[in-house]
């Protein structure tokens, strides 16, 4: 059921996802297409904000901080999975895999490679602090507009 808390969570985490995607774009190797990082991060943030943080609003501000970080971690996982699937499909179309199983396993190798690029203090700190702020905003909206 749509609520104000879910809407605020979706918008706040979408903005944070977009910011995280743009920060991540600065870490990838030269020549990597980065146009989709921001929108994919925003989509992952929107979905996770609505489903996770928005659904847990109303439990207090301290739990909202943890829920915000949990939402960010889930959103990062979804964004990495989506990007890795996209790259796998591009590589599969160039026949760089021997079979479908190798291609599916390649997704997880790609996710690990991308996660290593993501593990920068400025990116992780921004996402963690932003998740706590977005979680607090969600809690505030849940209490304000019941």
């Amino acid at each position: 059921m749509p609520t104000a808390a879910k809407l605020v969570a979706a918008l706040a985490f979408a903005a944070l996802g977009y910011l995280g995607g743009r920060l991540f774009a600065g870490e990838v190797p030269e020549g990597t297409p980065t146009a989709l990082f921001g929108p994919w991060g925003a989509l992952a943030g929107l979905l996770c904000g609505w489903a996770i943080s928005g659904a847990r609003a109303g439990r207090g501000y301290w739990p909202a901080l943890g829920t915000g970080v949990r939402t960010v971690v889930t959103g990062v996982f979804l964004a990495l999975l989506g990007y890795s699937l996209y790259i796998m499909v591009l590589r599969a179309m160039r026949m760089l895999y021997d079979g479908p199983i190798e291609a599916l396993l390649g997704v997880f190798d790609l996710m690990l490679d991308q996660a290593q690029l993501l593990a920068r203090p400025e990116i992780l700190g921004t996402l963690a602090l932003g998740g706590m702020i977005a979680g607090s905003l969600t809690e505030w909206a849940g209490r304000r507009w019941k």
Side-chain angles (χ1 to χ4, degrees):
M1 180 161 111
T3 63
K6 287 183 177 184
L7 177 64
V8 168
L11 295 176
F13 284 101
L16 182 61
Y18 184 83
L19 175 65
R22 297 314 308 155
L23 288 173
F24 178 68
E27 299 296 327
V28 296
E30 197 69 30
T32 303
T34 60
L36 293 177
F37 287 158
W40 274 345
L43 179 63
L46 182 101
L47 295 174
C48 291
W50 182 278
I52 298 171
S53 187
R56 299 202 187 308
R59 297 180 184 196
Y61 283 101
W62 284 109
L65 298 177
T67 302
V69 173
R70 176 184 174 196
T71 304
V72 166
V73 169
T74 307
V76 166
F77 177 80
L78 285 179
L80 286 176
L81 179 64
Y83 179 69
S84 297
L85 282 169
Y86 173 72
I87 295 299
M88 182 271 298
V89 168
L90 292 179
R91 288 182 178 182
M93 291 170 69
R94 286 188 246 146
M95 302 298 225
L96 296 178
Y97 295 111
D98 289 334
I101 300 299
E102 184 182 341
L104 287 175
L105 292 175
V107 169
F108 298 105
D109 289 335
L110 288 168
M111 283 180 71
L112 279 174
D113 293 342
Q114 301 307 318
Q116 289 174 351
L117 293 175
L118 183 70
R120 301 280 188 264
E122 59 273 5
I123 296 175
L124 295 178
T126 300
L127 292 175
L129 183 63
M132 288 185 226
I133 292 170
S136 296
L137 282 174
T138 303
E139 181 65 25
W140 175 80
R143 289 172 181 246
R144 174 78 171 92
W145 295 297
K146 279 195 173 192

